[in-house]
Amino acid sequence: MNKNYYAILMAGGVGSRFWPVSTQEFPKQFHDMLGTGDTLIQKTFQRLSRLIPKENIFILTNERYNDLVFEQLHELTERQVVLEPAMRNTAPCILYASLKIQKENPDAVMIVAPSDHWIEDEVAFSKNVEQAFNFCEKNDALMTLGIQPTFPNTGYGYIEFDKSSRDDIKSVNQFREKPDYDTAKGFIEQGNFLWNAGIFMWSVKSVIEAFKNNQPNLYAHFEKGIATYNTDAEEAFIAENYPLAENISVDYAVMETSKNVYVIAAEFDWNDLGTWGSLYDKLGKDADDNAVVNARTLTEDASGNMIRTKNNKIVVVDGLEDYIIVDKDDVLLIYPKTKEQDIKQVLKKVKDTFGEQYG
């Protein structure tokens, strides 16, 4: 394996649309959402380790999840777990981890990958990542993997690429925010738009240069701690300074403002597993199109439901169509799939009514 290959595995999110399974104390990346025997973070680590040396995979997460990370990824060392003492979006943590990696290996090329994506064809994934790494080793480039749209999805951002290019690696014209339906339909008709999967590749030199040029204040904020990185003094510096960093995403910070951005259309199926409905889409179904995880079911006049319980529980469902049915400890959710985007607001009401311990 190439010792210059690195990964930053992003594992700090809460995944509140997967409530009640995903909570602030135990978010979705640490659950076996698909019923495969592996949690999402374990699956992502295994996928990355096909191409990247295991010792070069860094886990970026909130400090409250430190124990969960080590419980689920036994091969990690403390060096590989980069802890955020506060939630500050993706730009500060990526810059911080990149500066640490650059200090260790200035020739590093890296991928930034979320911990909660579903990717079935891992061979094709590795091929696309290696293709990007080869390009980034030779060029000053910020790269992303785009997903070929299959329908006018309004829940994803889009990447508009240079339509005139016949190369696999295409220059990005601009990033587009989540559109309404008609706009998304227009994107697909134009033929040069991809879904933004939030998977990035670059050399450590290129991404730090991009931060330096586009976010000089944020760069200066973390640059002053370089002497402490990868030493015993790092923890104290980060504890004091990290919470003071600007709350900004890497998309806004560098990807949308840089001129050297490129995209590869991914050759693998992808799902960001952001909602119960997206999980339903990727699971096998029974004869009535119900997707079932862990439960034993008896259904009558029930179809299109997402059913998940713990411990092989028997679930009897009669007369429900297109519902989310999730049983977890002292919470039972029965909710229309068509309203799944509102689960965040439901969670807030539950916490306000019954207490923070339920979220």
Side-chain angles (χ1 to χ4, degrees), residues 23-249:
T23 64
Q24 283 197 333
E25 293 304 313
F26 206 117
K28 65 174 179 177
Q29 58 268 28
F30 301 106
H31 288 277
D32 176 12
M33 299 300 298
L34 294 157
T36 63
D38 290 313
T39 66
L40 294 178
I41 193 172
Q42 288 171 334
K43 288 288 287 182
T44 306
F45 187 89
Q46 292 162 14
R47 183 186 314 127
L48 293 171
S49 66
R50 295 174 64 97
L51 179 67
I52 296 160
K54 286 185 178 181
E55 64 272 17
N56 288 355
I57 302 175
F58 286 71
I59 313 299
L60 228 167
T61 191
N62 191 278
E63 60 184 14
R64 71 166 69 180
Y65 306 137
N66 185 54
D67 291 345
L68 281 172
V69 168
F70 282 107
E71 284 170 17
Q72 297 200 0
L73 298 171
H74 304 295
E75 54 266 77
L76 292 179
T77 63
E78 288 188 12
R79 158 189 158 274
Q80 292 170 259
V81 182
V82 182
L83 299 176
E84 309 163 80
M87 302 285 273
R88 284 296 177 271
N89 217 314
T90 53
C93 58
I94 288 172
L95 174 57
Y96 166 39
S98 298
L99 288 166
K100 283 173 59 65
I101 290 171
Q102 185 185 50
K103 189 174 180 183
E104 176 177 299
N105 183 352
D107 296 322
V109 290
M110 70 177 78
I111 178 173
V112 176
S115 59
D116 52 2
H117 287 181
W118 177 92
I119 293 170
E120 187 167 312
D121 190 343
E122 297 188 346
V123 173
F125 171 80
S126 296
K127 175 189 169 187
N128 284 157
V129 173
E130 188 159 32
Q131 186 180 12
F133 278 0
N134 290 338
F135 188 82
C136 291
E137 283 180 322
K138 299 167 188 170
N139 300 277
D140 178 21
L142 306 178
M143 295 202 63
T144 184
L145 290 178
I147 309 300
Q148 196 68 51
T150 53
F151 66 99
N153 194 312
T154 60
Y156 298 144
Y158 284 72
I159 303 165
E160 180 184 354
F161 61 83
D162 178 9
K163 202 171 187 176
S164 65
S165 173
R166 296 191 176 185
D167 298 328
D168 290 339
I169 297 173
K170 301 180 188 297
S171 177
V172 171
N173 291 340
Q174 61 179 324
F175 289 82
R176 304 291 286 267
E177 296 300 312
K178 295 175 183 177
D180 59 30
Y181 180 82
D182 288 337
T183 304
K185 194 175 175 185
F187 287 169
I188 291 177
E189 288 170 354
Q190 288 182 59
N192 62 323
F193 284 81
L194 301 167
W195 287 337
N196 184 0
I199 303 171
F200 307 108
M201 292 80 51
W202 42 53
S203 69
V204 70
K205 180 180 178 182
S206 289
V207 72
I208 289 174
E209 192 67 23
F211 273 107
K212 192 185 297 186
N213 293 335
N214 296 299
Q215 301 294 329
N217 292 337
L218 187 65
Y219 172 78
H221 186 70
F222 283 96
E223 191 269 343
K224 66 185 179 184
I226 282 181
T228 73
Y229 297 158
N230 308 336
T231 75
D232 292 340
E234 177 181 342
E235 185 177 350
F237 172 83
I238 290 299
E240 179 181 351
N241 289 279
Y242 196 94
L244 304 177
E246 182 182 357
N247 190 327
I248 184 172
S249 73

